Amino acid sequence: MSDDSFFREVSSELRQDKAKDLWKRFGPIMIGGAAAIVIATAAYVAWDHWSTNRANVSGDIYLQALSQAREGQTEEAKASLAQLEADGYGAYPVLARMRAATLLAQSGDYAGAIAGFDSVAADTSVPLSIREMARLRAALVLVDHGSYADVAQRVETLTSDTNTLRHSAREALALSAWGEGRFADAATLFTQITEDEATPLNLRRRAELMSELIRGSGSAS
């Protein structure tokens, strides 16, 4: 045997011994890590499947409630929404609360509707954007069934130049002010709406009409 062959065999045996030693030391860890990855992947897939199924079921119930409401099956719609509020998944329970309050308003229970919207607005577990929408919805009901102070209490903070709901909040305040004979306040709010470049076109037109009405009646002075 040549020296080169001898050294190659020795080197090979040393590598094998080192590999065996490394496997003894780290093999169980590697196996455990691989098993953990497999288990975690399986758990995620199972959770995703379960989550998707729950969301689909909740979505079906919500669509059913909307269909029942459209068809005039108010009590059935309320029952579907109550089920969704109790057992729904994801955002559907809070959507059910909002829709239930809307149904109350449509059926003439304005106090119940306002209480429903106020309940969502006060729930800190609900995303801020939905809470602000609930405040606006309550204010819109109060335009015809409450005072200017009631409306202002809910939406005055939504009228800031950076709030995305400012246009509708200003309109609610303006209409409420106009209804109470506070024509100067109403005119100021309608002007804010018309001068805001981001105001939606249909809302701008309503504000322009109301501004013309107030000016034409001489009530803003």
Side-chain angles (χ1 to χ4, degrees):
M1 178 184 294
S2 67
D3 289 343
D4 289 342
S5 298
F6 173 76
F7 285 119
R8 279 199 299 271
E9 288 184 13
V10 171
S11 178
S12 175
E13 289 180 5
L14 288 174
R15 285 197 299 269
Q16 290 178 14
D17 290 342
K18 183 176 290 187
K20 290 177 182 179
D21 184 56
L22 288 173
W23 179 254
K24 289 179 182 178
R25 293 172 59 189
F26 300 110
I29 296 175
M30 294 170 64
I31 293 174
I37 292 172
V38 171
I39 293 170
T41 301
Y44 173 78
V45 170
W47 175 87
D48 184 62
H49 179 71
W50 173 81
S51 177
T52 300
N53 283 345
R54 286 197 65 189
N56 289 339
V57 170
S58 294
D60 290 342
I61 295 173
Y62 187 71
L63 292 175
Q64 173 183 288
L66 295 182
S67 177
Q68 290 169 333
R70 282 195 302 269
E71 295 172 2
Q73 302 174 15
T74 304
E75 294 307 314
E76 291 83 351
K78 288 179 180 178
S80 296
L81 293 170
Q83 176 189 350
L84 196 55
E85 183 178 343
D87 304 321
Y89 181 74
Y92 285 105
V94 69
L95 291 177
R97 292 167 66 185
M98 293 284 284
R99 187 60 188 172
T102 300
L103 284 179
L104 290 175
Q106 291 173 346
S107 64
D109 185 358
Y110 303 113
I114 293 163
F117 288 128
D118 283 346
S119 174
V120 174
D123 189 344
T124 55
S125 68
V126 173
L128 179 61
S129 58
I130 298 179
R131 286 158 50 200
E132 290 185 338
M133 179 59 72
R135 288 162 58 189
L136 176 61
R137 295 295 298 276
L140 292 173
V141 176
L142 285 163
V143 167
D144 293 322
H145 305 283
S147 66
Y148 177 85
D150 293 330
V151 176
Q153 178 186 351
R154 289 161 177 81
V155 297
E156 200 162 42
T157 58
L158 304 182
T159 61
S160 67
D161 291 339
T162 57
N163 195 296
T164 56
L165 297 178
R166 64 186 181 277
H167 314 106
S168 295
R170 289 168 180 170
E171 184 180 41
L173 276 174
L175 290 172
S176 184
W178 182 71
E180 287 193 1
R182 300 174 56 161
F183 302 114
D185 292 336
T188 298
L189 287 160
F190 283 127
T191 298
Q192 288 179 352
I193 293 172
T194 59
E195 291 181 349
D196 189 332
E197 295 181 356
T199 299
L201 182 59
N202 60 337
L203 201 158
R204 182 190 303 278
R205 287 176 175 171
R206 291 199 301 269
E208 289 171 347
L209 288 172
M210 290 302 298
S211 296
E212 291 175 8
L213 177 64
I214 293 172
R215 285 195 299 269
S217 65
S219 301
S221 57

